[in-house]
Amino acid sequence: MNKEEIFGFKVCSTTYEEITKNIFKDFEAKEQLFIVNINPEIVMKNYKNPEMKQIFNKQKYQIPDGIGILLAAKLKRKYIKERITGIDLMNCICKQSGEYNAKIFIYGAKPGIAERAKKELENIYPKIQIVGTSNGYVEEVRAYEEIKKSKADIVFVATGSPKQENFIIKYKEKLPEAKIFMGVGGSLDVISKNIKRAPKWIIQLNLEWLYRLLQEPKRFFRQLKLIKFLWIALWNKEEKNEKN
Ligand code: UDP
């Protein structure tokens, strides 16, 4: 699978079909995966953090989640096939999981949300096996114990960044039976219908960020980082940081 580098962060140039197929090929080979989401916010938080960058880069899959990544790639004349969002890839994995008898654990969001997301996913994908849920505000070690007990093969962690990445990094080796780990941010809020995702035409116009901003105005300061990100991409300032 082709990869490009944005601000020193590797991102896959792939399609949903190709990456899902590859993920389940690895699943059959019993390889443990940490699927990393690369979006402008994560890059801005971590591009001066060589340790995190190295952890992200050594994983097999880094998805270009966020239109800012595609824009930055274009500015750098790099080619990324398409945007792969965390929530859409999560749906692809949920859909395929039934074919592989893979058991899923969902961890994150406010009390009750993961449970509602479970019901919604079971309605959409009748073959899915969700063997456990936990809200995202319990002590992390409790969530770890629940996951261990559930014997899940796939773990979706939806506690926001960097909490979800740190959790996966800290616990994945202690959970060798789980093969797929992925941070999925606010996805459970959307799947449970707690928050409405933008209509398709807004997503296609690449304006999902604006829709989310209008729904959650407190995101304004977070989204300012996107402007800074594009500014750096435009003025080519990242190379010296890539070497860090
Ligand atoms: N969250 C959580 N535990 C925490 C902090 C946050 O489970 O300690 C949840 C929060 O309820 C929300 C998600 O993490 O469902 C974060 O969503 P956000 O919109 O920040 O994620 P993004 O998709 O932007 O990464």
Side-chain angles (χ1 to χ4, degrees):
M1 185 176 293
N2 271 352
K3 290 193 185 182
E4 291 287 2
E5 249 186 49
I6 308 286
F7 289 75
F9 288 85
K10 288 188 182 158
V11 284
C12 297
S13 172
T14 186
T15 60
Y16 286 104
E17 207 189 320
E18 182 188 33
I19 192 169
T20 309
K21 220 158 104 189
N22 278 281
I23 288 169
F24 280 95
K25 218 191 271 167
D26 297 334
F27 179 72
E28 284 199 299
K30 302 196 182 334
E31 199 175 323
Q32 195 182 44
L33 303 173
F34 166 20
I35 302 164
V36 180
N37 295 44
I38 301 294
N39 59 41
E41 218 184 330
I42 286 178
V43 169
M44 292 313 287
K45 263 185 208 155
N46 293 298
Y47 86 116
K48 285 185 179 155
N49 180 346
E51 205 182 314
M52 205 58 147
K53 197 188 270 185
Q54 205 197 357
I55 293 174
F56 287 176
N57 282 350
K58 76 171 187 218
Q59 306 307 320
K60 198 157 183 184
Y61 304 108
Q62 300 84 359
I63 59 168
D65 172 17
I67 200 61
I69 297 293
L70 275 92
L71 271 174
K74 263 209 178 117
L75 288 171
K76 299 275 168 207
R77 304 205 185 326
K78 294 181 178 179
Y79 178 67
I80 292 177
K81 278 188 193 154
E82 64 172 312
R83 177 184 177 201
I84 307 282
T85 66
I87 186 168
D88 291 323
L89 184 58
M90 177 182 174
N91 269 298
C92 291
I93 293 174
C94 285
K95 187 173 175 194
Q96 271 315 94
S97 67
E99 307 303 321
Y100 291 82
N101 240 338
K103 302 187 288 296
I104 297 178
F105 193 101
I106 46 185
Y107 161 44
K110 300 215 169 90
I113 302 284
E115 204 42 49
R116 265 159 55 197
K118 173 180 186 277
K119 292 208 176 92
E120 291 294 335
L121 289 167
E122 286 167 344
N123 282 338
I124 309 170
Y125 309 113
K127 287 190 187 162
I128 201 171
Q129 296 178 55
I130 301 176
V131 291
T133 63
S134 168
N135 80 66
Y137 297 85
V138 297
E139 256 188 87
E140 286 193 339
V141 67
R142 285 252 337 260
Y144 154 71
E145 285 162 2
E146 291 293 315
I147 296 168
K148 182 112 194 143
K149 221 169 56 196
S150 75
K151 298 197 165 61
D153 303 294
I154 302 175
V155 183
F156 292 115
V157 187
T159 51
S161 191
K163 196 177 169 188
Q164 57 193 25
E165 287 80 16
N166 289 334
F167 177 85
I168 295 171
I169 292 165
K170 184 165 174 196
Y171 288 105
K172 80 177 166 38
E173 262 126 61
K174 294 185 184 145
L175 292 163
E177 37 313 90
K179 296 299 177 216
I180 303 174
F181 289 86
M182 185 176 168
V184 291
S187 300
L188 301 186
D189 293 307
V190 176
I191 294 169
S192 66
K193 303 198 169 121
N194 190 36
I195 285 183
K196 240 175 103 183
R197 195 176 181 195
K200 259 207 176 107
W201 63 272
I202 291 188
I203 297 172
Q204 271 155 8
L205 284 174
N206 292 325
L207 291 175
E208 193 171 6
W209 61 273
L210 181 61
Y211 185 89
R212 288 190 81 177
L213 179 61
L214 295 174
Q215 257 194 335
E216 297 174 83
K218 66 177 193 299
R219 298 182 77 90
F220 177 72
F221 290 102
R222 286 173 58 171
Q223 290 195 341
L224 276 182
K225 289 201 191 106
L226 176 65
I227 295 168
K228 191 175 167 203
F229 171 84
L230 288 175
W231 179 261
I232 298 174
L234 192 60
W235 294 103
N236 206 23
K237 281 188 187 151
E238 89 273 31
E239 266 76 19
K240 63 174 189 283
N241 290 310
E242 279 182 12
K243 310 236 156 39
N244 285 341

